[in-house]
Amino acid sequence: SQQGEEDPQALSIQEGENATMNCSYKTSINNLQWYRQNSGRGLVHLILIRSNEREKHSGRLRVTLDTSKKSSSLLITASRAADTASYFCATDAPVGGYNKLIFGAGTRLAVHP
Amino acid sequence: GAVVSQHPSRVICKSGTSVKIECRSLDFQATTMFWYRQFPKQSLMLMATSNEGSKATYEQGVEKDKFLINHASLTLSTLTVTSAHPEDSSFYICSAARLAGASETQYFGPGTRLLVL
């Protein structure tokens, strides 16, 4: 079964607004990663946060990790129409004896001009 | 940066035929490659993990005789969908990692869209 659950499933905002997506997971992790996927395309790696980190920034992206609640959030500030995409969290964790990435269900973000 | 390519990008085939998808790491040696499947508006599901020179490890529910994986070199892994059926229509994405068993840093290919008629 999938490790991560994301909410909301879909998010529609206006340009300039902030977008927040949440991810929850079930087991201990090595790290958590966020990816972006434009429709019908491959994945773009956005940011990785390790289990001993609580917050990380990269440009307009801010990721938090709360291992006690087994949750993470991705904040995109000052959104642009070009941010329209699906966003996935992925947990890197030992499963079945070796490490693997398990993806959440994703959030479909639509940013309207 | 590390680049991973997939070929073909799109393929349409008749039911019952076999389709081979290639995944190449263009500028680094990939000890481990991963194959994922993504149905429309769904997430990526890991199908199998392959290490160069050894048999692939398949996830629960993935038929190894239907999805043949070969990782014969450090830059190439292939996924063959044998006797494809319409329900195999999906987006197949590979990723590559430099280190054996390393899942942390995976470089993803652009994906292959398979349509089985």
Side-chain angles (χ1 to χ4, degrees), chain B residues 33-106:
Chain B
M33 286 187 169
F34 303 85
W35 286 95
Y36 297 85
R37 179 167 55 183
Q38 184 181 31
F39 291 107
K41 295 188 178 180
Q42 293 190 24
S43 187
L44 279 74
M45 298 298 293
L46 179 65
M47 299 175 67
T49 302
S50 73
N51 289 299
E52 184 264 340
S54 60
K55 290 183 178 180
T57 301
Y58 289 81
E59 295 301 301
Q60 194 172 12
V62 178
E63 300 175 54
K64 62 180 181 180
D65 294 330
K66 180 167 182 65
F67 298 99
L68 300 179
I69 292 172
N70 185 287
H71 192 166
S73 78
L74 286 172
T75 59
L76 174 65
S77 176
T78 60
L79 168 68
T80 301
V81 184
T82 62
S83 187
H85 288 98
E87 57 266 29
D88 298 324
S89 298
S90 188
F91 194 51
Y92 291 87
I93 303 176
C94 73
S95 69
R98 285 191 172 92
L99 301 177
S103 56
E104 176 177 308
T105 306
Q106 296 182 30

Side-chain angles (χ1 to χ4, degrees), chain A residues 2 6 11 27 55 59 67 75 94 96:
Chain A
Q2 287 185 176
E6 291 182 62
L11 182 61
T27 65
E55 187 172 311
T67 52
L75 168 67

Side-chain angles (χ1 to χ4, degrees), chain A residues 15-16 36-39 46 60 76 78-87 109-113:
Chain A
E15 258 190 333
R36 165 200 169 115
Q37 184 182 36
N38 285 62
S39 181
L46 296 177
R60 293 184 296 113
I76 303 175
S79 65
R80 306 166 181 168
D83 294 329
T84 295
S86 290
Y87 291 83
L109 173 66
V111 182
H112 302 283

Side-chain angles (χ1 to χ4, degrees), chain A residues 91-102:
Chain A
T91 51
D92 180 17
V95 181
Y98 60 99
N99 292 338
K100 60 178 80 170
L101 279 183
I102 304 296

